[in-house]
Amino acid sequence: MSDSHSLLSLVRRPRRLRATPTLRHMVREHRVAASDLILPLFISEKVTEKTSVSSMPGVFQFTLDDAVAECIAAWKDGVPAVLLFGIPSVKDEDASQAYAADGIVQRAVAAIKHAVPELIVITDVCLCEYMSHGHCGIVDHERGTVCNDESVELIVKAAVSHARAGADIVAPSDMMDGRIGAIRDGLDEAGFSDVVIMSYSAKFCSAFYGPFREAAESAPQFGDRRTYQMDPANAAEALRETELDVDEGADIVMVKPGLPYLDLLWRVKERFELPTAVYNVSGEYAMIKAASQNGWLDERACVLELMTAFKRAGADLIITYWAREVARWLRE
Ligand code: PBG
C-alpha cells in the first residue's frame, strides 16, 4: 500500500488549488456581482394592494406606489436596474394603453425616476399585456395571423412613449421582424438618441413562460406565439436573429429563457462580443421555488449556482426575480 502510494508522483494535482476557501476564492474564474442584476417588476392598474402571483411565490403585482417602494428597497439592496411590465385596466385590439402618455408603465417610469434617479429603469416593450387577445402584435382575424409591419408601428410608439416618460433603456420582447431598426429611428427622430435598446434578440417560444403569463395577465386567448417567437430547436437561427438586431442597432442583446439555452448564451457572447443579457424566466424561478418550498432543494445554494452558471456561459447581465435576494446574499 505504501509502495503504490509512493509510486504516484503526479505533477498535476488539480486538488491543490481547492484546498482552502481562500485559495478557491483566489482562483475562481467567474463571479456574480450585484451590478449584473436586473429585477423585473409587474405594475398593475387593477390592484389596490400588492398582490401575490400564486405560481411565483415572492413575486407580486404592485400598485404604482408599492412599485416605487420596491424600487427604493431594491436600490438599497444594491440592484442597479429594474425591468417594468404593465398590466392595464383596459385592453383593446390596438393595445392603446401600451403607448398612452398616462399608461401605467409611463406613469411608473416617471414616478420611479423621480424617487430613485440613479436606478436604471428598463421597460419591456411589447403589446401582449395590452391586447384583448393577448398576442404580441395586431391580429388579422380573417387570415388568422399576427401582422408584422403594422405591429412594429405600435411597438415604436410604445418605445418612444417610454423614453418620453424617462426610461433609460427600452427592451422590445415582441420578436417582430425589423423592430430594432424601427425603434432606433423612432427614438432618434423624437430626440432620444441616448436611450439604450436592449433587444430580446434570441427569444424562444418556451413553455417556461407559463407563470409569467399569470403575473402579467398576457396569455394568448387563442393559438400560440410560434409564428413570431423562435422554435426551441434552432441555434443557427438564433445567431441570425441576433445578428439582425445588432445590425439594426441593438446596444445590448439577450438570450431567453436562460437555463435551457446556456449553449446559445455562450455562442451569442462569443460571436458578437456585445453586452449580453440572459433572462432567468418565470418557469425557472417557479421550479426552484417549488422544490425548495418542499424541502427538496436548497434555494440559496441553487440560485447562486445558477447565477454563476449564467456568468460562466457569458452573461454580463442577469434578469432575475431573485435579484434582491442575490444582491443581499452576495453582501453576507
Ligand atoms: C412579453 C414577455 C414575456 C416574457 C417577457 N416578456 C412572455 C411571453 O413572451 O409570452 C416572459 C418572462 C418570464 O417568463 O419570466 N412578450
Side-chain angles (χ1 to χ4, degrees):
M1 191 65 196
S2 66
D3 274 0
S4 69
H5 184 245
S6 64
L7 279 176
L8 193 66
S9 64
L10 289 176
V11 176
R12 301 272 179 215
R13 286 183 184 272
R15 289 187 55 194
R16 270 186 209 120
L17 291 175
R18 296 179 203 142
T20 72
T22 312
L23 206 45
R24 288 197 295 275
H25 193 68
M26 287 170 71
V27 299
R28 188 157 296 144
E29 296 176 43
H30 298 282
R31 286 175 219 279
V32 186
S35 57
D36 302 330
L37 303 168
I38 299 171
L39 174 68
L41 292 178
F42 301 103
I43 306 166
S44 174
E45 227 166 25
K46 292 163 66 183
V47 299
T48 48
E49 58 184 30
K50 177 173 151 176
T51 305
S52 299
V53 177
S54 62
S55 53
M56 300 178 74
V59 172
F60 301 90
Q61 292 181 335
F62 290 105
T63 65
L64 211 151
D65 289 346
D66 288 330
V68 172
E70 181 72 5
C71 288
I72 294 170
W75 178 253
K76 281 194 186 135
D77 286 337
V79 175
V82 291
L83 171 60
L84 307 185
F85 294 91
I87 301 143
S89 51
V90 184
K91 299 181 191 240
D92 54 33
E93 294 250 336
D94 318 301
S96 56
Q97 288 302 305
Y99 41 87
D102 61 351
I104 180 69
V105 162
Q106 291 78 357
R107 283 187 287 136
V109 170
I112 293 166
K113 285 307 288 185
H114 180 73
V116 205
E118 287 163 285
L119 181 73
I120 297 296
V121 175
I122 311 173
T123 55
D124 182 89
V125 178
C126 199
L127 306 177
C128 55
E129 295 111 85
Y130 306 91
M131 286 289 197
S132 40
H133 47 63
H135 277 286
C136 302
I138 295 173
V139 170
D140 178 334
H141 291 284
E142 258 167 53
R143 289 168 50 229
T145 53
V146 171
C147 312
N148 193 86
D149 300 12
E150 295 83 345
S151 302
V152 169
E153 277 178 39
L154 299 188
I155 287 159
V156 171
K157 280 171 77 172
V160 171
S161 75
H162 295 172
R164 198 163 276 133
D168 300 288
I169 303 181
V170 293
S173 66
D174 52 285
M175 291 300 280
M176 298 301 135
D177 294 336
R179 84 251 208 244
I180 301 301
I183 289 174
R184 187 70 272 160
D185 286 349
L187 289 172
D188 292 355
E189 274 165 30
F192 299 109
S193 53
D194 290 338
V195 169
V196 171
I197 300 178
M198 176 168 83
S199 171
Y200 287 69
S201 23
K203 176 171 174 178
F204 289 87
C205 190
S206 171
F208 286 91
Y209 306 152
F212 171 96
R213 293 181 187 165
E214 181 202 337
E217 302 179 12
S218 66
Q221 300 303 301
F222 56 87
D224 52 42
R225 304 208 199 286
R226 285 176 210 279
T227 68
Y228 40 104
Q229 298 181 349
M230 287 184 47
D231 185 332
N234 294 356
E237 189 192 358
L239 298 177
R240 289 200 300 276
E241 269 283 4
T242 307
E243 185 168 34
L244 286 173
D245 289 2
V246 172
D247 289 349
E248 289 175 32
D251 302 288
I252 302 173
V253 291
M254 191 200 300
V255 174
K256 175 188 174 197
L259 197 46
Y261 296 84
L262 292 182
D263 56 328
L264 289 170
L265 180 55
W266 170 252
R267 292 171 73 176
V268 164
K269 180 64 193 178
E270 287 285 296
R271 171 86 64 104
F272 302 102
E273 297 182 323
L274 276 179
T276 304
V278 63
Y279 202 135
N280 173 209
V281 302
S282 58
E284 301 167 39
Y285 178 87
M287 62 188 184
I288 292 181
K289 269 284 174 195
S292 54
Q293 286 186 342
N294 271 297
W296 298 339
L297 284 177
D298 175 340
E299 181 180 12
R300 175 180 163 147
C302 283
V303 171
L304 289 173
E305 183 176 332
L306 185 51
M307 298 300 135
T308 307
F310 289 140
K311 293 297 289 184
R312 197 191 59 235
D316 299 293
L317 300 168
I318 304 171
I319 302 163
T320 179
Y321 302 98
W322 279 292
R324 289 189 58 192
E325 287 86 343
V326 172
R328 287 200 300 266
W329 291 334
L330 290 174
R331 273 213 299 247
E332 285 169 11

